[in-house]
Structure formats: structure tokens, C-alpha cells
């Protein structure tokens, strides 16, 4: 079988289900009566081995069939699941040598009657795959609902583990990096299975080395731990998944089977358990919780800033789904984790994320449009929030996956003292209300594009035209004049 076959497009189809389609008239005449089909492939080559991925039902009329034994041996070597032989128009019956070879090599052989076209067989297999996919999706949906219900119980972590054990019909456990069991559910396992699960947990969530005077910082080239690991012990499938949040916890599974939807169900449980165990992350999370409590009780941002840690600057990120779908707390939290922060919120369709202190540069994220502010102190976070909103609007207007607010670079603007520039901006822009000034700023930043400004501000293009016309009338200026635009842009950038 090829070393790295592509993944199947749907759960495998039992051969018996295909044989049960009476309208096809298929008949098994050699080989075992059980097999799993992943694909359908038709070939009249003397040796189709180089073109097989494994798991195929290979259909042929035997145009170039000469050495049946070698032909079947090569199919088995390639990992084909079954052979379908059409008895017309080349052969009136299935060659006896082919029947004997399939029986000898253990490859199911199906007789395809003359009235059944190969395309009809392929269509039937794909239809069975679609039905299997729908069954699997329904199963995953039911499991997701059951796990979410368990997560809402007063004892959410044990409840999620118990429900996961029911869904996967196996043993599940929440392990520490040293293999200690925090919670477990499901049937008992043999000692060697428990040992193997603990070893897998150490692979995905290794214990942090104890600090010593001679400890050296980790090498920049050191590879991160994998997020999952697996092995097999007899008929038992073992898996371990690292939980997010840096707690060093792992979800360990021992199941008697591994259906195509089991990985998805386990992934849902990993997300839930990561969120449920997040409050136990340690002093950093406790400090931030204390800061939030103090803010709610009336403390000033400057008073709680020391509790937030990670320096005195914060960056605000605004994000929206690129496909226009609404965001929810779950995918908002996932985006925040990908950017390196647990501080996220959803305001209608917009996700807002706070990145503390020095952080890795924000890069585009598949499926999202991002706007990023400059770093700001805690007391000025509202200004950072405004910047991020503007940057997100600019990104959407220009169809870019990411837009970062860039501070002024000085130049000629730096020759004017800040207080005088601010006073000039206040006087010049005094006739404009907040929405009008923001529309003018956005319109100028997008080089006078009506459509892009409408996208950035989420208003109709006619609204943009009306507002810009109103600005021109109130300011008594010709906005088509480049000198006027330059002066207004300088004022808008200097306005507090």
C-alpha cells in the first residue's frame, strides 16, 4: 500500500452495503465477504498499482488481463479493497484464473452483470458514502450537544469525561504531565494500557523542568510538543490530546474502535475541557480576575494596571469573520488563543481581543479579517479600541486580511508643536460632529473612494456622499482640492 495515502472523503463503506443494492445485481464470487471501500476507480491497465491510493473498489472489464495471479497480487500490494469485473464486452464470464487468484490472495471479487454500468456502481458507492457522512454528522452533533450539556453541570469536568466515555464507549482520563489522574470515567483498563496512556500524556504535555542555578533557556530551535499522540495495544486504540492554557494537562482515551467521527468528538471535548480548566492557570489569571473585580467596583485603570502584568502597554485587535458569519464566544476564544491572549469578547459580529505587553507581531489568520491598534497604556485603551475599529474597517474596505494602525512618522508634521497643531485642528474641524468627522477621516484615508468608505463604515454609499457633501458645506471648502485635503488630513490626525 502507498506510504502516505490521501484521507478518505467520507467514512468507509462496508462491502455488504454495496452488495445489498439489488438494482446493481452485483455478486461476490471469490474472496472474503467483508471489506471497507473508500473509493471507486476504473482502469484497464495491465498494472494499475501506480495509480491506486488504497481502499479502492477497482472496476475493470479485463481488456489487458493476462497473468491473473500477478495482477491480483499487485492489487493487494497496492491496498485495493475489492475487484469488480464486468463480464461484457471483453469476457462472457469471469475468468476462472481470476477467481482462483482472488480466492488465494484474499481479495473480494464481484461479478458486474452486463446491464450494470460502471458509472452506476460508482454512483451507488458515492451515495452510500454521503449517507454515511450524514449519519456521522448527526452522531457528532448529538455528541456535541451532550458534551455541552455536561459542561453546564455543577461538576463540569467529571461530567464531560463521563459523557465522553459514553460517546466513545471507552476509558477517558484527565492526566497531569507526570501521568497523575485528576479525573477518569469509563471502564477499567489493563495496567500496561494505563502506563502507555501516561507515556502519551508526557509526549503531548511534558512536565516543565525544575529550575536550577545551571538551567539554560530553551534552545530557539527546539521543536514544540505535538498536540496529540496515538498508539495501539492489541485491539485497543490509545490517544492523548494536550489541553490548551499551559496547565500541562492532557486528555487520554482508550477505545475499542476508532470511527471517523471519534476524532471530532474528542476535539470538542478537548476545547471544553481546556475552557473548564482555564481558571486553574495560576497567578497571572488570578491577578487579571482581581483587576476586573476592582474595575467593576470603581477603581481607576491606573490603579489596576500593576495587577494586569506583562508591562504597561496593551494592543487592541478587532476581528470579523471573513465569510460574514456571526462570531461566538467559542471561536472568539480560539482566535484569542491563536494570537496569544485569553482576553477576548464578542460585540455583535466583532471580536475584540486585548494583547498584553510585548507580543509576537499579529499576522493574518485564515477565515478572519483583523484590525490592529498601536500599543497603549491601560488608561488610554479607549483610544486603542477606536484605532483597531478603524483599522478593521480599512482592512474590509481594501479587502486585506489584516490592517495595522501606523503612527505618524513625523516629517513636516513634526515641525508644528503638538499643542498648536491640536488647537488648529479644533478650530478648523469645529463645525463637524463626530460622525461627520469620522466619515471625512475615513474617506480621505481611502483616497476619496465612496464604495470603500461605505464598506469601512458599514453604511450605504449614498450616506457617505451626503455626509461628505455636508462636510464641504459646513467647512466651506472644496474637497476636490488636494491642498484642502492635505490640510484636513493633518487636522484630523492632530485632533485628540
Amino acid at each position: 500500500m502507498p506510504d502516505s495515502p490521501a484521507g478518505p472523503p467520507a467514512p468507509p463503506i462496508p462491502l455488504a452495503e454495496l452488495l445489498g443494492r439489488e438494482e446493481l445485481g452485483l455478486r461476490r464470487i471469490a474472496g472474503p465477504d467483508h471489506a471497507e471501500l473508500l473509493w471507486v476507480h476504473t482502469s484497464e491497465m495491465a498494472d494499475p498499482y501506480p495509480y491506486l491510493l488504497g481502499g479502492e473498489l477497482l472496476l475493470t472489464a479485463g481488456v489487458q488481463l493476462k497473468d491473473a495471479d500477478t495482477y491480483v497480487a499487485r492489487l493487494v500490494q497496492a491496498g485495493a479493497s475489492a475487484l469488480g469485473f464486468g463480464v461484457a464486452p471483453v469476457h462472457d464470464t469471469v475468468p476462472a484464473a481470476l477467481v482462483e487468484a482472488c480466492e488465494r490472495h484474499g481479495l473480494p471479487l464481484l461479478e458486474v452483470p452486463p446491464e450494470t454500468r460502471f458509472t452506476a456502481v460508482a454512483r451507488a458507492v458515492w451515495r452510500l458514502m454521503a449517507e454515511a457522512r450524514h449519519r456521522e454528522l448527526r452522531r457528532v452533533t448529538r455528541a456535541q450537544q451532550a458534551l455541552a450539556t455536561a459542561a453546564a453541570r455543577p461538576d463540569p469536568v467529571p461530567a464531560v469525561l463521563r459523557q465522553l466515555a459514553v460517546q466513545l464507549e471507552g476509558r477517558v482520563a484527565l492526566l497531569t504531565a507526570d501521568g497523575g489522574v485528576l479525573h477518569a470515567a469509563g471502564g477499567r483498563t489493563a495496567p500496561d494500557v494505563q502506563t502507555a496512556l501516561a507515556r502519551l500524556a508526557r509526549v503531548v504535555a511534558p512536565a516543565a523542568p525544575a529550575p536550577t542555578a545551571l538551567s539554560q533557556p530553551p534552545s530557539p530551535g527546539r521543536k514544540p510538543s505535538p498536540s496529540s499522540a496515538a498508539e495501539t495495544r492489541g485491539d485497543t486504540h490509545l490517544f492523548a490530546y494536550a489541553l490548551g492554557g499551559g496547565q500541562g494537562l492532557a486528555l487520554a482515551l482508550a477505545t475499542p474502535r476508532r470511527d471517523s467521527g471519534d476524532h471530532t468528538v474528542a476535539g470538542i471535548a478537548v476545547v471544553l475541557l481546556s475552557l473548564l480548566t482555564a481558571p486553574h492557570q495560576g497567578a497571572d489569571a488570578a491577578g487579571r480576575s482581581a483587576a476586573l473585580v476592582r474595575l467593576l467596583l470603581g477603581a481607576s485603570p491606573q490603579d489596576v494596571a500593576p495587577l494586569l502584568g506583562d508591562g504597561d502597554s496593551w494592543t487592541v485587535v478587532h476581528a470579523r469573520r471573513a465569510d460574514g458569519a456571526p462570531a461566538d464566544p467559542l471561536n472568539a476564544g480560539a482566535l484569542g488563543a491563536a494570537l496569544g491572549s485569553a482576553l477576548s469578547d464578542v460585540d455583535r459580529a466583532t471580536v475584540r481581543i486585548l494583547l498584553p505587553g510585548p507580543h509576537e507581531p499579529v499576522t493574518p489568520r485564515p477565515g478572519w479579517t483583523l484590525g490592529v491598534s498601536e500599543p497603549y497604556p491601560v488608561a488610554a485603551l479607549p483610544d486603542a479600541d477606536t484605532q483597531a475599529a478603524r483599522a478593521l474597517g480599512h482592512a474590509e474596505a481594501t479587502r486585506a486580511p489584516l490592517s495595522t494602525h501606523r503612527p505618524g512618522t513625523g516629517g513636516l508634521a513634526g515641525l508644528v508643536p503638538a499643542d498648536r497643531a491640536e488647537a488648529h485642528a479644533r478650530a478648523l474641524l469645529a463645525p463637524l460632529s463626530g460622525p461627520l468627522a469620522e466619515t471625512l477621516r475615513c474617506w480621505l484615508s481611502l483616497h476619496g473612494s465612496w464604495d470603500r468608505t461605505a464598506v469601512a463604515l458599514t453604511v450605504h454609499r449614498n450616506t457617505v456622499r451626503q455626509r461628505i457633501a455636508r462636510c464641504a458645506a459646513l467647512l466651506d471648502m472644496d474637497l476636490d482640492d488636494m491642498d484642502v485635503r492635505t490640510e484636513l488630513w493633518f487636522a484630523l490626525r492632530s485632533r485628540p
Side-chain angles (χ1 to χ4, degrees):
M1 185 173 178
D3 293 335
S4 301
I13 302 303
L15 177 61
E17 289 193 18
L18 182 62
L19 293 173
R21 293 292 178 115
E22 297 181 357
E23 72 276 9
L24 298 177
L26 303 179
R27 185 168 64 95
R28 183 183 62 84
I29 57 177
D33 59 359
H34 58 84
E36 291 188 336
L37 312 178
L38 298 178
W39 334 85
V40 178
H41 183 62
T42 300
S43 175
E44 297 301 338
M45 299 183 66
D47 181 15
Y49 174 93
Y51 301 94
L52 300 183
L53 295 172
E56 290 91 353
L57 166 62
L58 180 66
L59 300 175
T60 182
V63 174
Q64 299 192 56
L65 180 64
K66 297 177 181 178
D67 185 344
D69 190 76
T70 300
Y71 181 81
V72 174
R74 291 285 284 172
L75 294 184
V76 172
Q77 185 181 0
S81 293
L83 175 63
F85 194 90
V87 295
V90 181
H91 297 269
D92 294 332
T93 61
V94 180
L98 185 62
V99 175
E100 295 172 0
C102 287
E103 193 68 43
R104 183 165 51 254
H105 291 283
L107 181 69
L109 175 61
L110 312 183
E111 180 186 73
V112 183
E115 63 274 11
T116 300
R117 298 180 179 181
F118 286 176
T119 54
V121 177
R123 189 182 299 114
V125 171
W126 295 123
R127 186 177 296 114
L128 289 170
M129 285 183 172
E131 293 171 357
R133 172 67 72 187
H134 291 156
R135 288 196 300 269
E136 202 65 32
L137 288 175
R138 287 194 295 269
R139 176 191 167 226
V140 169
T141 300
R142 289 194 297 268
Q144 181 178 10
Q145 293 171 345
L147 290 170
T149 301
R153 291 177 56 86
D155 55 343
V157 172
V160 169
L161 292 175
R162 288 193 297 268
Q163 188 57 238
L164 183 62
V166 171
Q167 297 295 330
L168 301 185
E169 300 179 1
R171 172 77 170 178
V172 302
L174 187 62
L175 305 181
T176 61
D178 58 2
V181 179
L182 295 179
H183 300 282
R188 294 288 181 180
T189 55
D192 64 321
V193 171
Q194 297 177 20
T195 301
L197 288 176
R199 184 173 63 255
L200 291 178
R202 288 192 293 271
V203 170
V204 300
T212 66
L214 299 178
S215 295
Q216 299 293 327
S219 170
R222 182 179 178 182
K223 294 182 178 180
S225 301
S227 59
S228 63
E231 68 174 77
T232 302
R233 289 275 172 148
D235 295 332
T236 303
H237 301 276
L238 310 181
F239 303 89
Y241 300 88
L243 298 191
Q247 309 96 305
L249 301 179
L251 174 65
L253 311 174
T255 60
R257 70 178 197 282
R258 190 58 168 172
D259 292 338
S260 58
D262 289 344
H263 180 72
T264 302
V265 174
I268 295 170
V270 168
V271 172
L272 289 173
L273 292 170
S274 296
L275 295 173
L276 292 171
T277 56
H280 307 290
Q281 291 178 21
D284 289 344
R288 288 172 182 168
S289 297
L292 176 60
V293 171
R294 295 189 187 184
L295 280 173
L296 292 173
L297 294 178
S300 68
Q302 293 88 337
D303 293 336
V304 303
L307 291 174
L308 294 172
D310 294 312
D312 57 357
S313 65
W314 293 76
T315 300
V316 178
V317 178
H318 280 209
R320 276 197 282 266
R321 294 275 296 273
D323 59 4
D328 57 51
L330 197 59
N331 54 36
L335 177 62
L339 295 178
S341 175
L343 305 176
S344 63
D345 182 37
V346 179
D347 182 11
R348 298 178 182 175
T350 303
V351 176
R352 299 192 297 178
I353 299 169
L354 281 179
L355 301 181
H359 54 80
E360 294 294 325
V362 178
T363 56
R365 297 288 164 175
W368 292 92
T369 302
L370 306 179
V372 185
S373 76
E374 295 178 61
Y376 270 84
V378 171
L381 280 180
D383 294 331
D385 189 55
T386 299
Q387 279 190 0
R390 290 174 175 175
L392 176 60
H394 189 275
E396 291 184 321
T398 57
R399 298 184 180 179
L402 170 70
S403 178
T404 301
H405 180 84
R406 302 296 182 189
T409 56
L412 293 176
L415 300 177
V416 182
D419 56 342
R420 295 183 62 183
E422 181 178 330
H424 174 70
R426 288 183 183 276
L428 180 63
L429 301 174
L432 303 185
S433 64
L436 289 178
E438 177 61 18
T439 301
L440 180 59
R441 185 208 61 80
C442 185
W443 181 72
L444 290 174
S445 73
L446 294 169
H447 310 290
S449 170
W450 308 110
D451 292 330
R452 289 185 174 185
T453 305
V455 171
L457 298 177
T458 63
V459 297
H460 194 276
R461 68 194 306 269
N462 288 341
T463 302
V464 176
R465 288 182 177 275
Q466 292 169 3
R467 289 181 181 178
I468 296 301
R470 182 63 176 161
C471 289
L474 291 172
L475 296 172
D476 191 20
M477 290 182 171
D478 180 6
L479 298 186
D480 290 330
D481 188 318
M482 190 62 197
D483 290 336
V484 171
R485 291 193 182 192
T486 301
E487 182 176 1
L488 288 173
W489 180 247
F490 173 78
L492 288 163
R493 293 297 298 267
S494 302
R495 183 181 182 181

